[in-house]
Amino acid sequence: MSGNTFGKLFTLTTFGESHGQALGAIVDGCPPGLPLCEADLQGDLDRRRPGSSRHTTQRREADEVRILSGVFEGVTTGTPIGLMIENTDQRSKDYSKIKDQFRPAHADYTYHHKYGVRDYRGGGRSSARETAMRVAAGAIAKKYLAARGISVRGYMSQLGPISIDFKSWDGVDDNPFFSPDPDRVPELEAYMDQLRRDQDSVGARITVVAEGVPVGLGEPIFDRLDAELAHGLMSINAVKGVEIGAGFDSISQRGSEHRDEMTPEGFLSNHAGGVLGGISTGQPIVAHLALKPTSSITTPGRSIDVHGNPVEVITKGRHDPCVGIRATPIAEAMMALTLMDHLLRQRGQNGDVRVETPQIKQL
Ligand SMILES: C=C(O[C@@H]1CC(C(=O)O)=C[C@@H](OP(=O)(O)O)[C@H]1O)C(=O)O
């Protein structure tokens, strides 16, 4: 295996480069009989698509997905689902100047040393463009999970220094930031406009929440649900940290504060983030992601070329000044893929999940 496949029973394999002909995926292990068509995937793809606001890369891609296999007369057949999106707006000349240079903080350096050869155009396989396929596959998982009462939603909880308190799910999809508080959008826009003038980039924090997840998903030791979530989320380009529930705040909490006390009506808090001992509790599963600032910026930076000579790197082209702005649907997809895989694994070992979910009291 060379790291292009995610999951055990419900698997996603992706292929393709940012400036190659197309991106593709094979989704295997999907149960038969799920009604599925392109429109089911396109909604989430449109949420991730480049060029949808002035705060993202201006590369214009329709990201129109085609289902090549695994669906017959409108339902999945249980055979591998092949997906494809053609690349239509590559501008590879933007990269000719830096083809022999390593952008500081970019995978250019590690790909070069690992493989000895690399498609430098648009970052090749290391480009975040690959995440389109995760989103398409995640939409299949989301649809299957939704039919079982499980939802997966995300929002931006911090843009650079600006933290955004959760207000409501209403309107999260109606602004380019996925802000859960629409009143903060002008502030976020002003921040991004200044950032663009500064020719710089910034990081972000995304929060993803799955609700309606039954008790019992996850394996107790190496394949803990939280470990697999961290794997899936950490595998997204630019992610440098993942927290489940209280995450690193657990360090300063006391046991009496951190513990989620239980009553016959349910849990009284959710510091665990919906996972205990690697297994879902039935509470909402809550994960937070830290995305680093985009490495491709026009502010000159010191680096070296492939021969080891010092160079000053300036990355021109069409780049996201904050990859976190488009990361919400990607994070949702990775959580949905992980939950889908574990739902099938739970069913495989223990039969259909029938344990009643305790009443949810609080996020
Ligand atoms: C195209 C997408 O994002 C791209 C991600 C990306 C990178 O280096 O990660 C660099 C840019 O590619 P290019 O230089 O070819 O325009 C982005 O536009 C996408 O997400 O669909």
Side-chain angles (χ1 to χ4, degrees):
M1 297 289 273
S2 46
N4 295 295
T5 300
F6 182 74
K8 285 222 163 66
L9 283 191
F10 184 84
T11 63
L12 165 66
T13 304
T14 72
F15 65 87
E17 286 86 23
S18 179
H19 288 214
Q21 281 184 39
L23 303 169
I26 293 175
V27 178
D28 208 357
C30 186
L34 175 72
L36 195 71
C37 64
E38 273 98 357
D40 292 321
L41 317 186
Q42 200 59 52
D44 271 345
L45 284 165
D46 290 348
R47 293 167 73 224
R48 192 215 72 95
R49 202 157 49 82
S52 49
S53 86
R54 72 176 188 274
H55 308 297
T56 67
T57 167
Q58 292 306 298
R59 179 163 159 176
R60 299 275 159 192
E61 291 286 355
D63 279 358
E64 258 174 49
V65 68
R66 280 165 61 204
I67 299 176
L68 303 179
S69 65
V71 175
F72 181 63
E73 295 182 338
V75 294
T76 57
T77 57
T79 60
I81 301 169
L83 305 174
M84 198 176 87
I85 291 174
E86 282 183 45
N87 289 322
T88 58
D89 187 26
Q90 305 95 317
R91 218 165 62 186
S92 302
K93 70 171 168 32
D94 286 345
Y95 288 87
S96 49
K97 273 219 173 66
I98 56 162
K99 80 183 176 63
D100 292 327
Q101 304 179 345
F102 303 123
R103 284 168 279 180
H106 197 279
D108 294 339
Y109 180 77
T110 47
Y111 269 59
H112 177 84
H113 284 87
K114 181 173 176 67
Y115 299 108
V117 54
R118 90 193 141 92
D119 180 353
Y120 61 85
R121 305 163 308 159
R125 182 75 178 147
S126 72
S127 168
R129 179 137 183 78
E130 182 268 344
T131 59
M133 276 301 146
R134 300 167 185 239
V135 170
I140 301 174
K142 274 186 180 178
K143 184 158 191 198
Y144 188 87
L145 295 171
R148 281 142 193 89
I150 303 170
S151 67
V152 182
R153 295 182 287 188
Y155 60 90
M156 177 183 272
S157 39
Q158 188 168 342
L159 173 74
I162 307 171
S163 43
I164 310 160
D165 287 338
F166 181 82
K167 284 278 154 63
S168 135
W169 289 110
D170 300 338
V172 167
D173 270 2
D174 300 335
N175 68 82
F177 299 93
F178 298 93
S179 166
D181 180 356
D183 294 343
R184 303 292 297 281
V185 171
E187 193 186 339
L188 304 178
E189 300 208 283
Y191 182 86
M192 290 306 299
D193 288 339
Q194 184 57 47
L195 187 74
R196 207 166 37 248
R197 285 192 287 274
D198 294 343
Q199 304 188 342
D200 220 334
S201 60
V202 80
R205 178 179 164 105
I206 305 298
T207 297
V208 209
V209 182
E211 287 170 288
V213 178
V215 191
L217 303 196
E219 310 288 344
I221 306 298
F222 300 114
D223 294 354
R224 288 165 185 264
L225 186 60
D226 39 4
E228 300 253 42
L229 279 170
H231 176 192
L233 295 169
M234 198 86 193
S235 75
I236 298 170
N237 312 52
V239 171
K240 299 306 279 183
V242 174
E243 293 183 305
I244 308 291
F248 281 84
D249 285 346
S250 312
I251 298 165
S252 55
Q253 287 178 331
R254 294 193 172 202
S256 53
E257 182 192 358
H258 179 86
R259 67 183 175 183
D260 300 316
E261 292 182 285
M262 287 177 267
T263 70
E265 288 77 43
F267 292 90
L268 297 181
S269 55
N270 190 12
H271 296 289
V275 186
L276 288 173
I279 297 171
S280 60
T281 61
Q283 291 219 84
I285 296 186
V286 183
H288 309 281
L289 285 68
L291 289 108
K292 71 176 185 178
T294 320
S295 53
S296 302
I297 53 178
T298 44
T299 298
R302 282 169 297 178
S303 186
I304 53 171
D305 66 15
V306 293
H307 309 292
N309 303 310
V311 292
E312 186 177 71
V313 178
I314 297 169
T315 312
K316 296 247 167 72
R318 303 166 295 177
H319 300 283
D320 289 278
C322 172
V323 279
I325 290 178
R326 294 195 291 128
T328 295
I330 309 166
E332 291 172 359
M334 292 317 294
M335 187 178 272
L337 291 169
T338 308
L339 293 175
M340 176 81 186
D341 190 36
H342 277 278
L343 192 75
L344 299 188
R345 288 162 74 174
Q346 162 74 346
R347 187 181 298 165
Q349 184 182 21
N350 300 329
D352 246 326
V353 186
R354 291 214 168 78
V355 185
E356 240 175 66
T357 306
Q359 193 182 322
I360 293 154
K361 299 286 279 187
Q362 172 179 329
L363 264 190

